[in-house]
């Protein structure tokens, strides 16, 4: 089916034709890009085409590409959202932000009382205490929700959770349990807040639920895609997934449906186990791919998180004097893994948060490339939040790309200044400007559901570099321009997934994937970038409109 | 934690330090315990196929009742899966990754009333200790593992000179004076001791004092020929401060293995050449080393 869409404006990301007003689509691909004056020529060559004016007031961009997200975003919408900010669910419902602990308790109590089975576990997510001055959530708060069922509140960071007494009694947590991951109240009693894997384990044992698992369900995928659609995303990633056969089948049956509004790139979780088996697993999935579903990457997680003090930092380490973080993969083993996947021609994305970890990851990549040279490997460092200019230079020389966690500037910028890194290193947090200046291919990401999936917000973070308390991190050398940020959330992320030949810009022959916006992001005040309404998306020529906010 | 809680032993140490050999040894010498071993890599274990009763996904069942579970990327999940199975093991052994902080893994036992920490056993590689202790990327991990240990095993001692083992033992003793240290080769060490550290045993340890660091350890060579009655009499003078003892000795009735555990001495015939090696683990109130040397007629250490 051929169609010409007329828009108010089209931002193409094609340097030789940056703007257009008309775009012709055939068989899911872009047939022509131009303006009113070129339509006659198109019709003469390609035959009669209807002109569709439904986007006459909209600005069209290449569909946004989220290069680092998790399918878990779709899972979490099966739990209760209790975050600070309004957040739009997969069905278009806006879940109002909760601005106090009492507000969270009241919402959960109401939900519980409306449930048929009030003994089933009640799980909530998105809680973010950094916005609440003063006290922290306690088990007494959550006992106010219920004492008859497990109540578990996951923090936005996913590294912390709160529970009620029901869970603690069932687990057998006592006052004597002495561990840095059991937070205590002023009286020295366990407060109900648990850090890291400890909390996840307790939740799993007391409820039987893997709170971060169940990624294989069709409902999770559909939720994920619908959240993506609302934010203009047409290609998202799941970094990473063990990709068992059953889940791969569910993905194929769900994602390949015509009305599923998103392409999905799933990275194989390669941190554990034998790399030879991992290579074989990925190779075995190559013929199960489609134009909408890819299994082309391996992801390795080499350290922890900065705000969790589990990232590996170079000297002088954490600003508050905390011990250095943990390797999630031994440096020596990382070398073996990178060498094996590189030699097999499989693109590697490595999670590195701290600058010591970034250095070790680059050592591993350099050694692997000496052993098995590969000119266009596009190995990518994910997060890479503390990299300095010397490391970016090295990345450029090695052909390594970066996908920076720009949303951190807003969500944890203040904590990085005061506690984790101190002001100097926080000034170069997620230094997208520096990376570009040194010649590193740049993408930026949300790590959803850790922060909200919303590329225009991520672009706003990279452009304005402002924390939630309104403090600017770094200066103009670290900032991206709006045009650079828009490129990072389209072509930049597509490049990191080796898909820039088919998506990421609006050019003849590429897939007809578009974000449909109410305003022109290059014309609005850079401050307003995050507030532009996303009206919907087009994926492979198929239009998926969002519910109107007032509908 | 309840009296029926399952003891958990954590085996820590760097890549290549011999954790797999020790795990193999424990699985082969489970002595009736149904162990669940959570391991990083099945392949490395190299279990004799004749011993495998069944393999199902990420779990291998052995003929002796033990199971091996692959940790994959998620220890949390692997441990929870073991605990949610209908048949629970008698004892869980977790192979920590080479750079894990074993104290963090031990913390799982505090939020599961069905688990208790039996002990953290850290292996220190006699052939590579200096590489780990001096590596700028690894030194802090190395010290974390040593600090967390309730029992330190110097591994691969057959590959280095005697003096190297002794100086390493001195270094470790200075770093952790309260922690027993033993030297091993090929992962061979008495499984009753490794699995019997009893750090968080329900009958004697209040929760507020959950992790103790107060073991004494004595190891040496006794005379090759010792009547078992003499050894039993000597051990009797050490109770109640003695927790475990083991030796392979000989008397007029032939070579024998002597065990002391739970206040009971058992001896059994040994088919082989007795080494005379004797190990004690006890409370801090055990006599000092010189007195123990005298009591057990310690012989000059031989290579």
């Amino acid at each position: 089916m051929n169609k010409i869409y007329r828009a108010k404006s089209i931002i193409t990301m094609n340097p030789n034709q940056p703007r257009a007003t008309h775009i012709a689509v055939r068989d899911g691909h872009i047939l022509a890009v131009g303006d009113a004056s070129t339509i006659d020529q198109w019709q003469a060559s390609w035959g009669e085409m209807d002109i569709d004016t439904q986007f006459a007031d909209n600005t069209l961009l290449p569909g946004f590409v989220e290069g680092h997200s998790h399918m878990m975003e779709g899972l979490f919408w099966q739990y209760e959202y209790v975050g600070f900010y309004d957040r739009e669910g997969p069905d278009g419902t806006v879940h109002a932000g909760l601005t106090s602990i009492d507000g969270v308790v009241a919402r959960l109590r109401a939900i519980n009382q409306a449930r048929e089975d009030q003994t089933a576990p009640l799980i909530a997510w998105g809680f973010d205490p950094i916005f609440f001055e003063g006290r922290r959530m306690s088990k007494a708060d959550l006992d106010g929700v219920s004492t008859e069922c497990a109540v578990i509140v996951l923090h936005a960071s996913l590294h912390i959770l709160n529970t009620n007494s029901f869970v603690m009694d069932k687990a057998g947590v006592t006052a004597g349990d002495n561990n840095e991951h059991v937070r205590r109240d002023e009286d020295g009693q366990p407060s109900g807040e648990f850090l890291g894997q400890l909390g996840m384990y307790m939740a799993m044992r007391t409820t039987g639920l893997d709170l971060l698992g169940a990624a294989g369900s069709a409902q999770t995928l559909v939720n994920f895609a619908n959240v993506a659609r609302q934010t203009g995303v047409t290609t998202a990633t799941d970094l990473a997934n063990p990709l068992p056969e059953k889940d791969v089948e569910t993905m194929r049956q769900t994602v390949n449906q015509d009305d599923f509004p998103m392409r999905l790139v799933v990275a194989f979780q390669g941190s554990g186990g034998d790399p030879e088996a991992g290579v074989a697993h990925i190779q075995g999935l190559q013929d199960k791919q489609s134009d909408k579903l890819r299994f082309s990457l391996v992801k390795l997680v080499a350290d922890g998180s900065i705000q969790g003090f589990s990232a590996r930092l170079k000297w002088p380490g954490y600003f508050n004097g905390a011990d250095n973080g943990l390797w999630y993969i031994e440096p020596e083993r990382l070398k073996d893994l990178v060498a094996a996947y590189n030699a097999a021609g499989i693109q590697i994305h490595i999670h590195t948060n701290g600058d010591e970890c970034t250095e070790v990851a680059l050592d591993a990549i350099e050694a692997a490339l000496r052993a098995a040279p590969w000119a266009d490997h596009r190995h990518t460092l994910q997060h890479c939040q503390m990299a300095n200019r010397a490391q970016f230079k090295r990345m450029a020389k090695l052909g390594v790309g970066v996908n920076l966690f720009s949303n951190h500037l807003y969500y944890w910028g203040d904590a990085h200044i005061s506690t984790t890194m101190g002001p100097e290193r926080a000034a170069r947090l997620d230094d997208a400007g520096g990376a570009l200046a040194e010649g590193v291919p740049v993408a930026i990401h949300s790590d959803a559901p850790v922060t909200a999936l919303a590329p225009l917000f991520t672009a706003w973070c990279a452009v304005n570099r402002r924390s939630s308390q309104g403090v600017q991190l770094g200066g103009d050398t670290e900032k991206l321009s709006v045009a650079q940020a828009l490129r990072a959330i389209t072509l930049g992320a597509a490049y990191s997934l080796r898909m820039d030949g088919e998506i990421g810009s609006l050019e003849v022959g590429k897939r007809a994937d578009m974000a449909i916006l109410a305003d022109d992001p290059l014309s609005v005040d850079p401050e307003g970038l995050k507030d532009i309404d996303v009206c919907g998306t087009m994926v492979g020529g198929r239009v998926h409109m969002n519910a109107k906010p007032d509908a | 934690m309840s009296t029926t809680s399952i003891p958990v032993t954590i085996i820590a140490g760097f890549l290549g330090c011999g954790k797999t050999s020790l795990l193999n040894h424990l699985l082969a010498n489970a002595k009736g315990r149904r162990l669940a071993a959570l391991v990083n890599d099945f392949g490395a274990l190299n279990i004799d196929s004749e011993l495998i009763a069944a393999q199902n996904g990420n779990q291998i069942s052995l003929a002796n009742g033990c199971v091996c579970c692959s940790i994959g990327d998620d220890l949390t999940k692997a441990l929870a899966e073991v605990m949610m199975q209908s048949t629970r093991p008698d004892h869980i052994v977790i192979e920590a990754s080479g750079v894990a902080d074993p104290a963090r893994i031990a913390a799982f036992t505090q939020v599961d009333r069905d688990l208790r920490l039996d002990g953290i056993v850290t292996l220190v590689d006699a052939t590579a200790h200096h590489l780990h202790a001096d590596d700028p990327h690894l030194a802090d991990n190395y010290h974390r593992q040593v600090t967390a240990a309730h029992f330190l095993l110097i591994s691969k001692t057959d590959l280095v000179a005697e003096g190297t083992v002794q100086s390493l033992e001195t270094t470790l003793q200075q770093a952790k004076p309260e922690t027993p240290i033993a030297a091993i080769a090929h992962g061979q060490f008495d499984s009753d001791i490794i699995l019997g550290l009893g750090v968080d045993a329900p009958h004697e340890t209040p929760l507020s004092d959950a992790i103790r660091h107060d073991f004494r350890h004595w190891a040496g060579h006794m005379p090759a020929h010792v009547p078992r009655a003499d050894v039993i009499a000597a051990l009797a003078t050490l109770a109640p401060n003695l927790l475990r003892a083991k030796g392979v000795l000989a008397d007029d009735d032939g070579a024998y293995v002597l065990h002391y555990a739970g206040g009971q001495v058992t001896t059994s015939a040994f088919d082989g050449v007795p080494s005379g090696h004797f190990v004690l683990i006890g409370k801090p109130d055990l006599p000092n080393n010189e007195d123990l040397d005298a009591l057990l007629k310690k012989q000059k250490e031989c290579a």
Side-chain angles (χ1 to χ4, degrees):
Chain A
M1 189 183 66
N2 304 341
K3 216 173 204 184
I4 295 171
Y5 292 94
R6 175 163 71 82
K8 187 173 174 193
S9 186
I10 300 171
I11 299 173
T12 68
M13 299 290 157
N14 173 4
N16 108 328
Q17 188 191 23
R19 288 275 184 176
T21 53
H22 291 64
I23 188 163
V25 173
R26 172 189 281 180
D27 298 333
H29 289 75
I30 295 165
L31 182 65
V33 183
D35 56 36
S37 71
T38 52
I39 295 174
D40 289 348
Q41 277 176 283
W42 299 352
Q43 307 261 28
S45 282
W46 304 118
E48 283 300 307
M49 288 183 271
D50 289 340
I51 297 182
D52 186 324
T53 60
Q54 64 172 315
F55 306 134
D57 295 327
N58 297 130
T59 300
L60 304 182
L61 266 77
F64 300 144
V65 181
E66 174 50 87
H68 190 150
S69 53
H70 300 270
M71 213 182 273
M72 241 187 293
E73 169 78 20
L75 171 71
F76 278 12
W77 286 108
Q78 293 156 61
Y79 307 148
E80 307 305 332
Y81 174 70
V82 293
F84 185 82
Y85 293 101
D86 294 355
R87 194 147 162 172
E88 200 172 341
D91 60 356
T93 307
V94 175
H95 298 252
L98 297 167
T99 54
S100 70
I101 289 171
D102 292 340
V104 171
V105 171
R107 159 94 50 94
L108 290 176
R109 192 190 303 125
I111 289 168
N112 186 52
Q113 283 165 359
R115 295 196 299 173
E116 245 173 58
D117 178 5
Q118 294 183 14
T119 60
L122 182 62
I123 317 286
W125 67 286
F127 180 66
D128 205 337
I130 63 172
F131 300 111
F132 305 140
E133 298 255 328
R135 72 188 186 91
R136 297 187 76 87
M137 181 180 273
S138 72
K139 62 186 173 192
D141 290 314
L142 294 182
D143 287 344
V145 175
S146 174
T147 53
E148 306 296 312
C149 69
V151 179
I152 296 172
V153 175
L154 281 165
H155 290 219
S157 70
L158 301 186
H159 293 284
I160 305 175
L161 55 77
N162 277 84
T163 67
N164 62 349
S165 301
F166 183 93
V167 172
M168 291 169 69
D169 293 345
K170 198 167 173 191
V173 178
T174 70
D177 288 340
N178 182 19
N179 188 276
E180 61 188 299
H181 294 104
V182 178
R183 200 183 291 279
R184 287 166 186 283
D185 61 21
E186 286 157 1
D187 302 327
Q189 300 297 311
S191 70
E193 188 173 321
F194 297 88
L195 280 68
Q197 294 298 97
L198 194 61
M200 285 300 158
Y201 177 76
M202 185 171 59
M204 222 183 273
R205 282 286 291 129
T206 54
T207 66
L209 297 172
D210 179 2
L211 299 186
L212 307 184
S217 89
Q219 187 59 51
T220 291
L221 287 161
V222 168
N223 284 349
F224 185 29
N226 281 332
V227 172
R229 166 179 54 76
Q230 281 158 5
T231 59
V233 171
T234 54
T235 298
T237 41
D238 183 35
L239 299 187
N241 192 304
L243 287 170
E245 194 180 339
K246 174 175 67 70
D247 289 0
V248 168
E249 276 316 303
T250 307
M251 287 178 210
R252 294 177 75 190
Q253 283 163 20
T254 312
V255 176
N256 290 335
Q257 300 278 338
D258 284 343
D259 58 356
F260 187 85
M262 188 178 85
R263 298 181 205 283
L264 179 63
V265 179
V266 190
F268 176 70
Q269 182 174 293
S271 302
D274 165 28
E276 301 307 325
V279 165
H281 193 85
I282 294 170
Q283 285 168 343
L285 291 169
Q286 294 311 294
D287 61 356
K288 301 201 152 110
Q289 302 186 104
S290 69
D291 60 344
K292 286 174 82 180
L293 183 60
R294 305 294 166 93
F295 306 109
S296 47
L297 305 172
V298 64
K299 162 111 177 277
L300 306 175
V301 178
D303 71 346
S305 75
I306 302 168
Q307 72 276 20
F309 300 99
S310 50
R312 290 290 308 191
L313 270 57
K314 284 167 76 88
W315 189 90
Y318 286 102
F319 195 49
N320 69 348
D323 283 348
N324 205 350
L326 292 177
W327 295 109
Y328 284 19
I329 300 174
E330 299 91 325
E332 200 183 325
R333 211 173 91 80
L334 182 67
K335 271 194 174 149
D336 294 344
L337 290 170
V338 170
Y341 285 107
N342 178 74
I346 293 169
Q347 192 194 355
I348 308 163
H349 281 211
I350 308 177
H351 158 127
T352 76
N353 261 315
D355 48 5
E356 185 190 9
C357 187
T358 293
E359 187 164 289
V360 163
L362 290 174
D363 290 346
I365 292 172
E366 185 166 347
L369 289 171
R370 275 180 202 277
W374 180 5
D376 191 21
H377 54 81
R378 302 200 197 184
H379 300 322
T380 300
L381 299 190
Q382 290 285 350
H383 303 329
C384 196
Q385 301 202 72
M386 294 183 69
N388 59 30
R389 287 288 185 120
Q391 290 176 331
F392 284 133
K393 262 194 185 78
R394 209 176 150 203
M395 290 168 69
K397 294 285 185 201
L398 290 169
V400 172
V402 74
N403 190 346
L404 295 163
F405 195 171
S406 298
N407 287 18
H408 243 261
L409 292 159
Y410 180 78
Y411 286 105
W412 288 282
D414 300 298
H416 291 320
I417 293 168
S418 65
T419 310
T420 66
M421 314 176 191
E424 304 86 353
R425 285 176 293 172
R428 66 157 206 255
L429 179 72
D430 292 294
D431 182 6
L436 272 188
E438 299 298 346
V440 181
V442 171
I444 53 180
H445 69 264
S446 69
D447 201 15
V450 176
T451 69
L453 178 64
L456 285 173
F457 173 76
T458 304
W460 177 90
C461 290
V463 166
N464 294 288
R465 296 187 60 85
R466 192 164 317 125
S467 74
S468 60
Q469 301 297 312
V471 179
Q472 186 177 306
L473 289 89
D476 290 345
T477 46
E478 288 78 32
K479 285 180 173 178
L480 293 186
S481 69
V482 173
Q484 287 169 332
L486 293 177
R487 194 174 193 282
I489 60 173
T490 53
L491 211 45
Y495 177 91
S496 77
L497 303 175
R498 308 182 76 83
M499 290 177 76
D500 53 316
E502 50 182 315
I503 60 171
S505 65
L506 300 177
E507 299 180 56
V508 173
K510 288 185 115 171
R511 300 191 184 279
D513 289 5
M514 301 176 212
I516 301 156
L517 307 184
D519 286 304
D520 182 338
L522 289 171
S523 303
V524 303
D525 182 339
E527 291 286 338
L529 201 51
K530 64 181 167 54
D531 303 317
I532 294 174
D533 275 336
V534 176
C535 306
T537 59
M538 184 188 295
V539 178
R542 196 178 172 111
V543 175
H544 305 274
M545 295 309 283
N546 296 338
K548 292 258 181 349
D550 55 350
Chain B
M1 198 186 73
S2 65
T3 49
T4 57
S5 56
I6 300 169
V8 176
T9 299
I10 297 163
I11 311 286
F14 276 93
L15 205 60
C17 71
K19 284 178 293 187
T20 302
S21 300
L22 179 61
L23 276 162
N24 268 329
H25 177 74
L26 294 176
L27 287 167
N29 296 277
K31 303 183 188 175
R33 296 179 188 89
R34 286 172 305 127
L35 297 182
L38 274 63
V39 302
N40 289 307
D41 186 358
F42 277 161
L45 268 182
N46 205 9
I47 300 165
D48 188 339
S49 59
E50 287 178 11
L51 298 177
I52 296 177
Q55 178 157 10
N56 180 13
N58 60 354
Q59 192 160 319
I60 295 176
S61 306
L62 305 187
N64 65 358
C66 296
V67 293
C68 293
C69 311
S70 166
I71 292 171
D73 280 304
D74 194 347
L75 172 61
T76 310
K77 202 169 166 182
L79 181 59
E81 277 172 6
V82 165
M83 292 303 290
M84 289 192 272
Q85 284 177 356
S86 50
T87 312
R88 286 201 174 161
D90 300 322
H91 197 120
I92 295 173
V93 182
I94 299 174
E95 179 195 10
S97 98
V99 284
D101 179 356
R104 292 199 187 195
I105 298 173
F108 285 140
T109 62
Q110 296 183 353
V111 295
D112 188 340
R113 64 169 69 249
D114 296 336
L115 294 177
R116 67 177 170 86
L117 180 63
D118 189 65
I120 295 170
V121 178
T122 298
L123 278 76
V124 177
D125 187 338
T127 66
H129 158 260
H130 289 295
L131 297 178
H132 298 147
D134 298 339
D135 183 327
H137 297 310
L138 297 176
D140 60 329
N141 283 279
Y142 169 81
H143 291 296
R144 245 174 228 166
Q145 292 177 359
V146 170
T147 303
H150 302 109
F151 192 21
L152 285 162
L153 291 178
I154 301 172
S155 63
K156 301 188 175 177
T157 54
D158 55 322
L159 301 178
V160 296
E162 170 91 0
T164 306
V165 176
Q166 277 166 0
S167 79
L168 180 50
E169 186 165 353
T170 305
T171 307
L172 292 171
Q173 199 77 65
Q174 282 164 354
K176 281 212 76 191
E178 301 291 297
T179 306
I181 302 169
I184 64 168
H186 307 294
Q188 309 280 319
F189 197 82
D190 182 0
S191 57
D192 289 334
I193 291 179
I194 300 277
L195 302 175
L197 294 176
V199 166
D200 197 1
H203 53 279
E204 62 183 42
T205 314
L207 270 177
S208 57
D209 181 29
I211 297 179
R212 303 189 331 230
H213 297 279
D214 53 359
F215 287 100
R216 279 285 312 286
H217 172 260
W218 179 94
H221 280 82
M222 293 181 64
H225 190 90
V226 192
R228 52 194 87 183
D230 290 2
V231 184
I232 293 168
L235 294 181
T237 67
L238 299 175
N241 293 317
L242 185 62
L243 298 172
R244 300 281 185 276
K246 186 187 177 185
V248 184
L249 307 166
D251 62 10
D252 292 344
D253 296 332
Y256 64 93
V257 184
L258 180 144
H259 278 290
Y260 177 94
Q264 301 291 320
V265 178
T266 54
T267 58
S268 52
F270 180 73
D271 182 19
V273 182
S275 65
H277 192 65
F278 206 81
V279 180
L280 295 182
I281 291 183
K283 296 180 181 176
D285 296 334
L286 276 179
N288 65 34
N289 281 347
E290 289 72 31
D291 291 346
L292 286 173
D293 290 352
L295 179 72
L296 297 165
K297 302 182 180 63
K298 182 175 176 176
Q299 305 291 290
K300 190 173 179 303
E301 284 284 357
C302 48

